[in-house]
Amino acid sequence: GMPSLSANPSARPAPEFSGDVYSWEVIGKRLAEPLELPFPVTLHLVRHGETEANARSLVTGAQDSPLTAIGREQARAVGRRLDPRYDAAVHSRLSRSAETLRLAVDAGHVEVGAVYADHRLNERSLGELELTPVRPIEEFARGDFNYAPSGGDS
């Protein structure tokens, strides 16, 4: 199991980094080149399960929408497919992310060395779009990652 999540829902804060903010252009250039590490790393990414907002076809953004019963079962199902041990697990500070991780780890009987809650993994705020019906947004459709809806994060 994962006692750090059960005993403390916020888990440990992530280690501090420089805090530098890079443009999408810089990030794209850095990601275009292989990342050389002195040892092999296996990274598994898991998206949270279905939320109440997802089920209602609403834009969620930074709203802390809880998992549905389907979302909880999705988390358990992915947990049964995980490796038996991970050195670390990182989740956003949103409850849907923490609960998905907890349910997955418990269902899969996964041992995790350290669990971190990192606000930098939180979904960005979509301002006035949040909790409104999902619909195409021209700026997102054309890949404008700098677009910020009124009241939202760019």
Side-chain angles (χ1 to χ4, degrees):
M2 209 167 39
S4 61
L5 272 183
S6 301
N8 180 2
S10 65
R12 292 191 271 183
E16 290 304 314
F17 296 96
S18 70
D20 294 342
V21 176
Y22 299 102
S23 70
W24 284 110
E25 181 180 351
V26 169
I27 292 169
K29 286 179 182 175
R30 288 193 178 182
L31 292 177
E33 298 297 321
L35 178 61
E36 298 290 333
L37 297 173
F39 48 85
V41 172
T42 300
L43 179 66
H44 292 179
L45 300 176
V46 175
R47 185 177 188 272
H48 62 78
E50 178 189 69
T51 67
E52 296 288 341
N54 299 148
R56 294 175 48 209
S57 295
L58 300 176
V59 174
T60 308
Q63 296 295 313
D64 201 6
S65 184
L67 296 179
T68 62
I70 290 170
R72 289 187 294 277
E73 185 48 42
Q74 290 169 332
R76 290 182 194 101
V78 78
R80 292 187 286 271
R81 299 182 66 188
L82 293 174
D83 289 346
R85 184 178 193 298
Y86 292 88
D87 293 330
V90 185
H91 64 83
S92 79
R93 291 214 174 258
L94 297 173
S95 67
R96 61 186 179 250
S97 178
E99 185 178 13
T100 296
L101 177 61
R102 181 184 58 77
L103 290 168
V105 165
D106 288 349
H109 306 288
V110 177
E111 179 188 341
V112 178
V115 175
Y116 299 98
D118 191 331
H119 71 277
R120 293 171 297 178
L121 296 176
N122 287 11
E123 178 67 62
R124 69 184 184 145
S125 170
L126 296 176
E128 66 184 14
L129 298 177
E130 290 184 358
L131 301 181
T132 64
V134 170
R135 63 195 176 282
I137 305 295
E138 181 183 332
E139 293 83 356
F140 291 139
R142 70 172 183 256
D144 182 356
F145 291 114
N146 293 314
Y147 170 68
S150 180
D153 298 331
S154 61

